Amino acid sequence: MTPVTRAGRTMAGSDPPPVRIAVAGAGFMGRQHIALIHESPRAQLVAVADPSLPDPTEIGCPVYPGVEAMLDAARPEAVVIANPNALHVDTALVCIDAGAAVLLEKPMASDFASSLRLVDTVSRRRARLLVGHQRRHHPAVARAREALGEEAIGQLVAVNGLWAARKDDAYFDDVPWHRQRGAGVSLINLVHDLDLLRHLCGEVAEVQAMASTHARGLDVEDTISVGLRFESGVVGSFLASDSGVSPWGWDQATEETLAFPYIPDGVAYRLVGTRGALSVPNLALYTYEAAVSPDWHSPLSRTYLPFAPRNSFQAQLDHFIDVAAGAAEPLVSAEDASRTLALVEAATLAAATGTTVDLARFRDDIAWSDGA
Ligand SMILES: NC(=O)c1ccc[n+]([C@@H]2O[C@H](COP(=O)([O-])OP(=O)(O)OC[C@H]3O[C@@H](n4cnc5c(N)ncnc54)[C@H](O)[C@@H]3O)[C@@H](O)[C@H]2O)c1
């Protein structure tokens, strides 16, 4: 008889057995991972660790108060870590020690220095670790990268982006870590955008920034404006705020999470090139129509680059299962995500000091003082 998975789908006889996955942290994000694991015919949810001890009948598997107890009892092949940022590195180290593959939510650590401990362990232990910058798994992002590689907009000149939404007050009032150092709009939201800008435009050489706590009056910033110079010479800017109403940002432009209203044809990033412009993730491509001497006086045409829609969290889970099985290298490695974290932290430093921060020097200084 053909076996039936939890999701009720049938598996062909030659399919490998589902990967036995546990989840550490069953809050807002952990529950989304739990639902995705239940839906996947390639995964089986075997355990959850969360000190708040959610109801196992609701979660659909045994629940443990801590990660160590969960690892001892359930021996999962893979763990999705979705606990508070400050616990990410230690939790990942314990899971790696237990021989499990890890999908670690972003940011991979609450600071760049501690991310380096994890980068080092992953490399020494040849651990399988994927960082949860799920937007990189979105098909529009892969298509945008392809278009840039084919020079569909000529040579990249500049990039600009925006993410803004008014988070509910309870998000800060009810969850203490959301208003403490190690969170804030930079580490919770901007980190995704800067990761994607690195993925699309390459490494950043220098960063400038201005941050504000004006709208919410918390210790952590609620709004930040960042200026970027990429190693290629491209310049860019990004504005992020968790305190203002807006239709602009990745989360509104995709149907990835029900927490945001969906704005069809929405834009998160604008890429400006010598022969065209491309907005992401709607993939509107603008070029001048004139066959001879196309320039700013020519009419502009707009076409949309086609791509097959796919939810990036689902695509990320599928990829994680391949990583756990040793069949794929992580699309977002610890080393790669650590560079994104360095960029966020450098932006915070630039905002605090009013200086331009050189990324290579910033990373070297911290790596040196960390190792010294
Ligand atoms: N990828 C994304 O788009 C995305 C979106 C939201 C949040 N996140 C990330 O997911 C993580 C969780 O965020 P959230 O919004 O779900 O927070 P949350 O506060 O809703 O959930 C965190 C959960 O972790 C639990 N927890 C606390 N200590 C723990 C421990 N020692 N072991 C196991 N569990 C523990 C808490 O009880 C809580 O249930 C954060 O790192 C956040 O940055 C990612």
Side-chain angles (χ1 to χ4, degrees):
M1 203 173 137
T2 315
V4 176
T5 65
R6 279 195 70 91
R9 286 176 234 171
T10 55
M11 288 172 47
S14 57
D15 285 340
V19 175
R20 302 175 63 257
I21 305 185
V23 174
F28 168 75
M29 198 60 227
R31 281 169 193 262
Q32 292 192 46
H33 287 294
I34 287 168
L36 288 164
I37 295 166
H38 278 317
E39 279 165 22
S40 169
R42 302 181 63 210
Q44 182 193 0
L45 184 73
V46 293
V48 160
D50 194 309
S52 72
L53 290 175
D55 180 358
T57 52
E58 189 201 325
I59 297 284
C61 70
V63 170
Y64 300 86
V67 173
E68 281 93 345
M70 179 271 284
L71 290 169
D72 279 351
R75 310 236 164 243
E77 297 167 78
V79 181
V80 177
I81 299 175
N83 55 14
N85 297 350
L87 303 175
H88 283 186
V89 170
D90 286 341
T91 311
L93 291 174
V94 171
C95 293
I96 290 171
D97 232 25
V102 171
L103 167 53
L104 177 59
E105 261 306 341
K106 49 49 60 172
M108 66 177 290
S110 46
D111 60 82
F112 175 59
S114 51
S115 78
L116 293 176
R117 276 201 297 141
L118 191 50
V119 172
D120 179 56
T121 303
V122 167
S123 148
R124 274 189 300 101
R125 303 279 301 267
R126 294 170 182 267
R128 288 150 298 144
L129 185 141
L130 171 70
V131 180
H133 286 295
Q134 78 279 352
R135 294 181 193 177
R136 289 203 199 184
H137 299 268
H138 195 282
V141 170
R143 187 71 189 87
R145 261 169 68 96
E146 210 175 272
L148 291 172
E150 292 162 354
E151 299 202 347
I153 62 169
Q155 191 189 333
L156 191 60
V157 173
V159 62
N160 159 259
L162 173 56
W163 184 95
R166 174 132 189 113
K167 288 183 182 167
D168 50 301
D169 293 342
Y171 179 91
F172 299 96
D173 295 343
D174 298 353
V175 185
W177 76 267
H178 283 166
R179 52 179 192 270
Q180 290 162 1
R181 203 170 166 274
V185 73
S186 301
L187 275 171
I188 299 268
N189 305 101
L190 177 71
V191 65
H192 273 308
D193 294 297
L194 293 186
D195 183 69
L196 255 202
L197 293 190
R198 282 186 57 240
H199 191 55
L200 291 172
C201 308
E203 287 300 342
V204 172
E206 291 178 326
V207 60
Q208 299 175 330
M210 282 188 194
S212 172
T213 56
H214 165 76
R216 291 195 183 272
L218 301 175
D219 285 345
V220 287
E221 77 292 342
D222 50 63
T223 304
I224 184 163
S225 169
V226 178
L228 305 158
R229 183 187 302 281
F230 291 82
E231 287 180 358
S232 61
V234 168
V235 290
S237 60
F238 199 91
L239 175 63
S241 176
D242 62 26
S243 300
V245 177
S246 112
W248 302 296
W250 173 273
D251 294 297
Q252 298 92 322
T254 56
E255 289 178 280
E256 306 271 89
T257 152
L258 298 176
F260 292 83
Y262 173 52
I263 313 286
D265 208 23
V267 172
Y269 316 108
R270 292 179 173 85
L271 298 149
V272 175
T274 49
R275 289 203 308 272
L278 180 67
S279 54
V280 180
N282 64 342
L283 297 195
L285 175 67
Y286 297 84
T287 49
Y288 291 133
E289 282 175 358
V292 181
S293 309
D295 61 26
W296 62 340
H297 302 298
S298 316
L300 266 174
S301 77
R302 179 177 62 189
T303 52
Y304 287 89
L305 300 180
F307 62 92
R310 173 120 207 250
N311 179 290
S312 30
F313 288 102
Q314 276 170 354
Q316 176 179 258
L317 176 61
D318 255 349
H319 175 65
F320 178 50
I321 290 167
D322 290 339
V323 169
E329 290 302 312
L331 178 62
V332 191
S333 68
E335 208 273 331
D336 198 347
S338 155
R339 282 173 169 256
T340 293
L341 195 51
L343 175 54
V344 174
E345 204 165 298
T348 307
L349 176 66
T353 56
T355 57
T356 301
V357 177
D358 177 294
L359 258 294
R361 198 172 307 148
F362 176 81
R363 286 192 302 263
D364 285 352
D365 284 353
I366 292 187
W368 186 87
S369 57
D370 196 45

